[in-house]
Amino acid sequence: MTRTTIVRPTDASLRSAVRLALLFFAIKLLIHIAATLWQRHIGMGYFRDEFYYLMCGRHLAWGYVDHGPIVALQARIAETVFGHSLLGIRILSAAAGAMRVFLTGLLCWSLGGKRSAQALAMAAVLSVPLFLGIDGFLSMNSFESMFWMPCLLALIMIFRDEADGIDRRWMWWSLLGVSAGVGLLNKPSMLFFLISVGIALLLTPQRRVLFTRHAAFGIGLLILIALPNVLWQVHNHWPTLEFLRNGREQGKNIRLSPLAFVLNQIVVIGPWGAFVWLPGLVHLLRRQDRRWLGLTFLILLVVMIALGAKDYYFAPIYPILFAAGGVAWQTRFAQRKSVQRDSPLAFAVGIVTMIVGAAIVYPSAAPVLQPQTYWRYAKALHLPDTETENSARAPLPQFFADRYGWQENVDEVTRIVNALSPADRAKVGIFCGNYGQAASLEWLGHGLPTVISEHNTYWLWGTRGLDGEVMIIDRKSSVANIQKYYEEVQVVGRVDNPLSMPYERHDIYLARHRKMPLPPDWAESKIYY
């Protein structure tokens, strides 16, 4: 049997690599802690989806219409430990982002990278604008690389051990099975990553790793872990597939051409990062023993483009390219006379370039500027449009606009509730048009009536005992439309924050005397979108 030889690190032990990776882990975590504290200082609040995940955390289940159960569990843990602390709510996502940096360092080490190569790779990942954005709030996206990369690390270590005559396949396949299984519970895109890895291995001599009892164990483990979510999907008639189909058929997301998708990668990952990840891709494709890693990247790229995925769905794969990029720089710039040590100048220049690039675009990735300052900043830098959804535009990018208007909405609804007669207050409910409106009322409100919505998982939670006889309608609608369901409708308030998304600016209605009971009508009101 032909053995694959992988170059081992010659000047850095695993312990040294871990220490360096922990340093970068701490830097990344501190960046997001400081950013959240600063956002609170300038009056920047919760992101729209955070409210929703927090409410899902109060309704723990093995599945949800539009996301996996891990983010709901993350939200539940954060609320239980930290209460309503914005920093506490976001700390687990920030830590997951820091783990992405940590794993990049270990991947670089596993590929033979010395300390300078590891530092460059981790600095490059730390400087990615997209990661600086998505790791700064409660999200499932910050966790993706934390599940994808251990799978690649496990396979790399299997081949390393094989070259050294060591057999720890049970351990590495267990790591892969657990990471992949939990990753599938985090986000369905994990499946496309695993398919891409499998095809890449089958196309190379490394396919032999798949045809062992150890591989069967790892694959069985990941299926076992993910199975409860599959059973939940079956029980609820595959709501996630319906959600994805509706989004595709109704043109929810901007569908990018193959060229636009690739060019967007340069923007969201950062142009400076290409000086590391592109050499990393070339390095992987040129090395027969590592070609499967490069092919994984290319196959996944084709899959994402074919599916019409958002550009950031592809981002979790980049740490392996940055890790390989550090090794590629090491191969290019290491001096022959210094076999046992790095040549530091080129790496220092590279690291400084990553830091400067990230600092320049950071305000476009994270909401750390007041709106007026941001507009001047965006105009000066001629920032490109990176929106991913076909929706009405706000004065700010949607990622920022979705942080405005929530408290105003809660205050207006609270005023309306307090103005009701005691008889109406005893039976009134609140009907919201989307999960952002509904969840923000539940999270920010105090003593408000029961909130329901027909949007995504809120629809599965049902009418919550409301008969709909007296309802506050908190959604973009019209008197004429609501009169289809109610005898009496009046406008009682309005929310109109100019910085929020246009569909969050609307009148609020008080409706009485529903023409037909709410529960029987609920089955027809579902909105999976």
Side-chain angles (χ1 to χ4, degrees):
M1 180 174 61
T2 303
R3 288 188 176 275
T4 300
T5 302
I6 292 183
V7 177
R8 300 297 302 271
T10 57
D11 70 334
S13 68
L14 175 59
R15 182 177 299 177
S16 176
V18 168
R19 284 199 300 265
L20 184 61
L22 285 173
L23 173 62
F24 277 85
F25 175 98
I27 293 171
K28 169 74 169 176
L29 188 61
L30 287 173
I31 288 173
H32 291 296
I33 290 174
T36 294
L37 294 175
W38 175 251
Q39 289 169 34
R40 291 297 284 173
H41 175 70
I42 64 175
M44 195 77 67
Y46 291 88
F47 180 64
R48 178 181 200 257
D49 291 356
E50 290 181 295
F51 297 121
Y52 181 43
Y53 298 146
L54 286 162
M55 291 307 102
C56 290
R58 293 180 179 179
H59 299 80
L60 289 179
W62 280 110
Y64 302 87
V65 171
D66 47 350
H67 60 82
I70 294 298
V71 71
L73 179 61
Q74 176 194 168
R76 179 66 169 269
I77 293 171
E79 182 183 2
T80 301
V81 176
F82 300 106
H84 274 56
S85 165
L86 182 61
L87 177 60
I89 294 303
R90 294 176 173 176
I91 196 67
L92 294 179
S93 286
M99 275 300 299
R100 182 193 299 109
V101 177
F102 179 88
L103 288 167
T104 301
L106 291 191
L107 285 166
C108 187
W109 167 83
S110 72
L111 294 173
K114 301 178 184 179
R115 287 177 61 85
S116 292
Q118 296 162 25
L120 176 63
M122 289 187 285
V125 170
L126 198 150
S127 73
V128 171
L130 176 64
F131 295 155
L132 289 170
I134 64 175
D135 297 341
F137 67 100
L138 173 63
S139 165
M140 71 190 100
N141 298 315
S142 56
F143 276 78
E144 284 188 282
S145 291
M146 197 177 81
F147 299 126
W148 291 25
M149 292 305 104
C151 296
L152 298 184
L153 180 62
L155 290 169
I156 292 169
M157 293 306 298
I158 288 171
F159 295 127
R160 278 174 55 113
D161 285 352
E162 182 183 90
D164 291 342
I166 303 171
D167 188 358
R168 294 182 292 187
R169 287 175 292 178
W170 287 116
M171 180 179 72
W172 296 123
W173 275 108
S174 295
L175 172 63
L176 188 150
V178 171
S179 296
V182 179
L184 286 167
L185 294 178
N186 180 64
K187 198 171 178 181
S189 55
M190 181 85 198
L191 176 63
F192 303 112
F193 165 73
L194 293 173
I195 291 172
S196 299
V197 173
I199 295 174
L201 286 169
L202 289 172
L203 292 175
T204 62
Q206 284 72 35
R207 70 179 69 89
R208 65 184 180 276
V209 77
L210 296 175
F211 303 106
T212 66
R213 65 182 186 278
H214 312 88
F217 170 78
I219 294 170
L221 185 59
L222 76 86
I223 293 173
L224 182 64
I225 293 172
L227 185 59
N229 178 252
V230 176
L231 296 177
W232 182 90
Q233 294 285 343
V234 172
H235 178 73
N236 290 279
H237 311 292
W238 299 98
T240 300
L241 292 181
E242 183 177 345
F243 164 79
L244 294 172
R245 183 177 65 251
N246 290 343
R248 183 177 62 255
E249 292 176 351
Q250 298 177 39
K252 177 182 180 181
N253 299 329
I254 296 174
R255 191 177 182 96
L256 299 171
S257 68
L259 178 60
F261 189 94
V262 172
L263 292 177
N264 264 29
Q265 297 302 305
I266 303 295
V267 175
V268 300
I269 302 301
W272 53 88
F275 290 101
V276 180
W277 70 260
L278 274 176
L281 177 60
V282 173
H283 169 83
L284 294 175
L285 292 174
R286 292 180 64 181
R287 286 281 299 267
Q288 184 180 9
D289 56 339
R290 298 173 182 175
R291 192 165 296 147
W292 65 275
L293 289 165
L295 289 175
T296 296
F297 176 88
L298 295 178
I299 293 167
L300 184 63
L301 176 62
V302 172
V303 169
M304 290 296 181
I305 292 173
L307 292 173
K310 296 180 180 181
D311 49 24
Y312 67 84
Y313 288 2
F314 185 59
I317 193 66
Y318 279 95
I320 186 61
L321 295 194
F322 284 122
V327 177
W329 274 54
Q330 176 179 292
T331 303
R332 172 66 179 84
F333 293 110
Q335 301 297 316
R336 290 185 178 181
K337 63 182 180 181
S338 54
V339 176
Q340 298 300 321
R341 62 184 179 86
D342 297 327
S343 178
L345 180 59
F347 291 97
V349 171
I351 291 171
V352 169
T353 301
M354 301 298 115
I355 295 172
V356 171
I360 291 173
V361 304
Y362 184 63
S364 70
V368 293
L369 298 179
Q370 296 281 13
Q372 295 80 4
T373 307
Y374 174 82
W375 290 325
R376 292 194 296 270
Y377 160 83
K379 183 178 180 180
L381 265 65
H382 303 284
L383 293 178
D385 183 2
T386 57
E387 298 290 9
T388 60
E389 294 187 359
N390 289 306
S391 59
R393 300 301 172 91
L396 293 168
Q398 183 175 355
F399 183 61
F400 294 171
D402 272 339
R403 301 167 193 263
Y404 287 95
W406 306 115
Q407 189 61 56
E408 292 92 328
N409 188 61
V410 171
D411 293 343
E412 185 70 348
V413 170
T414 301
R415 180 192 66 78
I416 294 167
V417 170
N418 291 337
L420 295 174
S421 67
D424 281 346
R425 287 194 64 179
K427 56 185 176 180
V428 71
I430 305 173
F431 190 5
C432 295
N434 61 59
Y435 63 64
Q437 296 162 358
S440 63
L441 287 175
E442 293 200 85
W443 180 255
L444 298 175
H446 299 283
L448 291 177
T450 300
V451 178
I452 62 174
S453 176
E454 59 202 351
H455 190 204
N456 291 352
T457 306
Y458 261 93
W459 180 82
L460 286 177
W461 296 337
T463 61
R464 295 175 159 183
L466 294 176
D467 60 11
E469 182 63 16
V470 180
M471 295 292 288
I472 295 171
I473 312 296
D474 183 20
R475 62 185 301 166
K476 199 173 187 70
S477 189
S478 66
V479 171
N481 186 58
I482 299 173
Q483 283 177 335
K484 297 175 183 177
Y485 305 95
Y486 286 88
E487 298 287 350
E488 179 184 333
V489 181
Q490 63 184 116
V491 177
V492 290
R494 180 167 179 82
V495 288
D496 200 15
N497 190 308
L499 297 176
S500 65
M501 293 299 291
Y503 48 75
E504 302 296 358
R505 307 173 210 161
H506 54 81
D507 291 329
I508 301 176
Y509 309 88
L510 180 62
R512 291 187 175 91
H513 312 307
R514 188 172 175 87
K515 295 179 179 180
M516 66 175 295
L518 177 61
D521 196 36
W522 193 251
E524 303 300 322
S525 68
K526 176 177 64 175
I527 298 177
Y528 285 173
Y529 183 69

